[in-house]
Amino acid sequence: MARTDPKKEVVIVGLGWTGSILGIELAKEGLDILALERGPDRSTVPDFQYPNVIDELKYGIRYGFMQKPRNSTITVRRTLDETALPMRKLGSFLPGDGVGGAGIHWNGQTWRPMAEEFRLRSYVEENFGADLIDEEMTIQDWGVSYEELEPYFDRFEYMAGIAGQAGNINGEIQPGGNPFEAPRSRGYPMPPMPEQTDMRLFREAASAMGYHPFPRPAANATQAYTNEYGMQLCPCNYCGFCERYGCINYSKSSPQTCILDALKRYENFSYRVNSEVLRVNLAADGQTATGVTYWDEEAQEEVTQPADMVILAAYQLHNVHLMLLSGIGEPYNPQTGEGVTGKNYSYQMNGGTTLFFRDHNFNPFAAAGSSGVSIDDFAINQIDFAAEGFIGGSYITAGLSNGQPIRGISLPEGTPGWGAEWKQAIGEWYGHSMSIGSHGSNMAYRDCYLDLDPTYTDRHGRPLMRMTFDWKANDIRMTQFMRRQIEPIAQSMNPDSWRSSYKSEGARYDIRPYQTTHNVGGAIMGTDPNTSAVNRYLQAWGQHNVFVLGAGAFPQNIQYNPTGAVGALAYWAADAIVNDYLPDPRPLV
């Protein structure tokens, strides 16, 4: 039996980072806000309290804070000719479940894209010629510039309490920071994380080779801090349980730590958990949204929730799925190139080298999610694409995020995978390894996209979303280029042994091993409704009272972790809604 609830002015779908930001910014304006979260409620106490959350088997291996494929999954294929099959076990990426979303279980690496990344197609054409862009590559400009977004990056970083060392303040290069970053208006709100042994070794080796190492920016607090909403963070205690866990110490920036308790104080804000939005309801003419329909898990019934404005703030994959199911934007067709919703799905191209030292003990159990030292000497704005034969870039970094006994142990090449020799190797090498990693961009292509699966449905009878994605030669050339830069650094550090893992020619996408939870695209932003699903303010082109937040807006993937850009875009959209849209609801062009 279906029911209809009383009308609210704004419905927010999802209560992670973007939903929390839009919730508090619009609640401050006096609007009635209802957030709908498909998963359970989650708070630092009791959900992240010690010692319960420090359970590697439950959360690190069995994904206690992640969505369950039996409730929410996709189908996957690598080419247009393959038949997609359902992903029945999490692996390649790990969408969060419940209030806080993936903001609960991330490590906290927080970057700003380079200015060139916001206008990547124009940058390539102007500097290297349009012929360098393969006809199958569908990279685009974002429709917004770094200069426009800089104040919003600044606000997100100060709200989240990011620790780091600025490299460029108003055009002046700062000692110890990233000299290749775009100008920022001021430094980070907190000093960088202390340097550990692996970081020192990498910094010294990189400096000796003429590179420019700097501390990795971190959403792990280095001192006591109070943000603009009155939320307090405590210094990180290096417990080694960041990635895949909620923070026990109010030290890792998350919606819980930085926003939610402040948001819940607003009487005009409410939220419902275990409430999965099934579709956005449109008016008869399709020009506006009238609300949403969601599944109330507790009552076991569908609920129609009216709204004057709908904000899609769920995970990137779920936002795109809802758009496809609801008729928001024309579905993308890879054969003709027409359509926009689902276009330009992209991922991340990573690789790394692991080094083993008998004479160094790195104490990996005393670790934080984002501690590390990086170089950007091979970033997008530092590479001659024409000479190297690819478009893209990568930051290179060293840092230990954990020493957890099940998933945090690296062993030299050739070590048996079980038995007495395996046990002996663990005793011999635990704490004696470090890694140098490449975290690279991923371009967009004609045949990498998201659409509705023609065969499989979910528990509500809706078509599953189908992902078509595979690695391309351009991005493999990029990661092999990074290998050629990293291995000489590793060799110069004189390890007892080392091994590398980079995708090589002919590599195919494998959904099984974890890679990153950095899925982007499908709801890409731009200035042309023929090539983008949302405009530069993240407003749907065809329904002016629908805004689509998150990494789905990226036209291709940047070389960095996406959260910094996701947060900046959320504040950018909130500002446009408050100052331009609410006084006169209309398409913002």
Side-chain angles (χ1 to χ4, degrees):
M1 179 179 180
R3 74 174 191 264
T4 299
D5 279 359
K7 190 169 187 177
K8 294 278 184 177
E9 290 188 13
V10 180
V11 166
I12 298 176
V13 181
L15 197 53
W17 269 124
T18 58
S20 299
I21 291 171
L22 268 291
I24 198 165
E25 292 302 301
L26 297 182
K28 289 192 301 183
E29 299 301 312
L31 299 176
D32 288 329
I33 312 294
L34 173 64
L36 297 171
E37 170 56 53
R38 69 192 300 157
D41 208 351
R42 301 200 191 277
S43 300
T44 300
V45 177
D47 299 283
F48 311 152
Q49 66 188 21
Y50 182 86
N52 297 343
V53 80
I54 308 299
D55 185 334
E56 185 182 6
L57 184 61
K58 181 176 181 178
Y59 296 106
I61 304 300
R62 295 177 176 167
Y63 307 134
F65 288 134
M66 318 306 177
Q67 292 175 15
K68 303 299 184 287
R70 66 176 178 267
N71 296 327
S72 173
T73 192
I74 61 173
T75 65
V76 183
R77 63 179 183 173
R78 292 175 297 193
T79 69
L80 300 179
D81 297 328
E82 287 185 349
T83 298
L85 296 174
M87 182 177 72
R88 300 185 183 275
K89 183 178 179 181
L90 291 178
S92 182
F93 45 86
L94 303 173
D97 185 41
V99 171
I104 291 174
H105 69 77
W106 71 317
N107 263 333
Q109 298 174 31
T110 309
W111 298 80
R112 299 184 182 192
M114 293 192 153
E116 293 80 5
E117 294 193 89
F118 290 102
R119 52 186 311 273
L120 183 60
R121 189 175 192 94
S122 295
Y123 173 74
V124 173
E125 290 177 350
E126 292 165 4
N127 291 275
F128 308 104
D131 291 344
L132 188 64
I133 304 174
D134 188 278
E135 62 179 9
E136 296 296 298
M137 187 182 289
T138 53
I139 60 175
Q140 297 183 189
D141 295 352
W142 291 44
V144 64
S145 68
Y146 171 82
E147 290 74 18
E148 290 174 300
L149 287 179
E150 197 284 330
Y152 304 96
F153 278 109
D154 180 82
R155 189 175 179 195
F156 179 75
E157 290 168 358
Y158 272 75
M159 178 275 292
I162 305 303
Q165 171 60 52
N168 184 337
I169 298 179
N170 296 319
E172 295 187 11
I173 303 302
Q174 306 296 306
N178 180 4
F180 308 114
E181 71 174 359
R184 57 178 65 240
S185 53
R186 53 179 171 169
Y188 288 96
M190 293 194 206
M193 305 199 79
E195 188 173 81
Q196 297 175 283
T197 301
D198 64 311
M199 298 159 62
R200 175 180 59 81
L201 293 177
F202 175 72
R203 176 180 55 79
E204 291 173 351
S207 296
M209 298 183 71
Y211 301 137
H212 303 80
F214 58 92
R216 181 162 55 186
N220 308 136
T222 55
Q223 60 188 26
Y225 183 78
T226 302
N227 73 7
E228 64 173 286
Y229 302 127
M231 300 291 286
Q232 299 177 352
L233 283 77
C234 301
C236 176
N237 67 356
Y238 286 78
C239 74
F241 285 84
C242 273
E243 181 181 318
R244 305 190 185 185
Y245 307 88
C247 183
I248 66 174
N249 202 49
Y250 297 90
S251 302
K252 181 173 68 173
S253 307
S254 68
Q256 280 81 356
T257 308
C258 298
I259 301 176
L260 284 171
D261 283 346
L263 175 56
K264 292 174 185 179
R265 297 189 185 110
Y266 285 88
E267 293 183 356
N268 53 322
F269 171 80
S270 62
Y271 68 106
R272 298 174 191 157
V273 296
N274 300 310
S275 300
E276 181 179 2
V277 175
L278 304 179
R279 59 187 172 275
V280 178
N281 302 321
L282 302 183
D285 62 4
Q287 300 301 302
T288 56
T290 60
V292 301
T293 295
Y294 70 93
W295 177 254
D296 185 326
E297 190 69 32
E298 183 176 349
Q300 289 289 294
E301 65 180 1
E302 287 191 6
V303 182
T304 299
Q305 177 62 59
D308 296 321
M309 183 191 306
V310 174
I311 296 174
L312 299 186
Y315 192 70
Q316 171 265 351
L317 294 171
H318 304 311
N319 280 346
V320 177
H321 193 208
L322 279 173
M323 293 174 72
L324 290 166
L325 291 167
S326 307
I328 298 174
E330 181 184 352
Y332 172 68
N333 184 334
Q335 307 288 358
T336 65
E338 297 174 339
V340 290
T341 304
K343 180 181 179 182
N344 282 26
Y345 171 76
S346 305
Y347 197 33
Q348 206 94 60
M349 176 58 83
N350 298 341
T353 298
T354 303
L355 297 74
F356 298 89
F357 299 86
R358 295 186 184 276
D359 296 332
H360 289 297
N361 191 331
F362 297 107
N363 296 322
F365 52 84
S370 295
S371 60
V373 167
S374 304
I375 60 172
D376 242 349
D377 295 77
F378 304 103
I380 275 180
N381 65 6
Q382 296 300 303
I383 295 175
D384 185 335
F385 295 156
E388 301 299 341
F390 64 81
I391 298 170
S394 169
Y395 72 86
I396 294 171
T397 195
L400 291 170
S401 62
N402 75 84
Q404 296 161 33
I406 302 176
R407 40 184 300 270
I409 299 176
S410 295
L411 297 174
E413 200 165 18
T415 302
W418 63 284
E421 291 183 62
W422 173 75
K423 291 180 181 179
Q424 181 181 350
I426 289 176
E428 183 177 355
W429 290 108
Y430 180 82
H432 292 278
S433 67
M434 61 169 283
S435 294
I436 304 173
S438 162
H439 190 281
S441 57
N442 181 224
M443 298 300 105
Y445 299 90
R446 177 190 61 82
D447 59 350
C448 293
Y449 71 109
L450 305 169
D451 69 347
L452 295 178
D453 191 274
T455 303
Y456 294 95
T457 58
D458 66 10
R459 60 184 182 140
H460 304 292
R462 305 177 303 168
L464 292 181
M465 189 166 67
R466 178 172 61 179
M467 174 190 293
T468 305
F469 177 77
D470 205 0
W471 302 118
K472 303 294 186 178
N474 174 87
D475 306 276
I476 291 173
R477 287 194 294 270
M478 184 275 292
T479 199
Q480 286 295 318
F481 172 87
M482 297 304 162
R483 178 177 189 163
R484 295 193 296 273
Q485 317 314 313
I486 289 174
E487 289 185 343
I489 301 175
Q491 198 163 19
S492 76
M493 296 166 68
N494 296 314
D496 291 288
S497 64
W498 51 283
R499 57 180 171 81
S500 291
S501 177
Y502 301 83
K503 295 176 181 66
S504 56
E505 184 178 356
R508 307 298 303 273
Y509 177 56
D510 188 340
I511 198 75
R512 294 169 297 176
Y514 181 72
Q515 290 157 74
T516 73
T517 306
H518 302 164
N519 315 81
V520 309
I524 61 176
M525 62 190 299
T527 57
D528 183 351
N530 295 311
T531 58
S532 57
V534 297
N535 66 20
R536 66 196 304 265
Y537 302 105
L538 307 187
Q539 180 186 43
W541 284 107
Q543 296 80 25
H544 66 78
N545 63 340
V546 175
F547 290 80
V548 186
L549 286 260
F554 295 15
Q556 55 275 329
N557 212 350
I558 58 177
Q559 66 183 37
Y560 303 109
N561 308 61
T563 308
V566 167
L569 287 172
Y571 276 116
W572 162 261
D575 184 72
I577 291 170
V578 169
N579 294 305
D580 295 328
Y581 183 77
L582 292 179
D584 181 16
R586 70 200 189 282
L588 300 176
V589 294

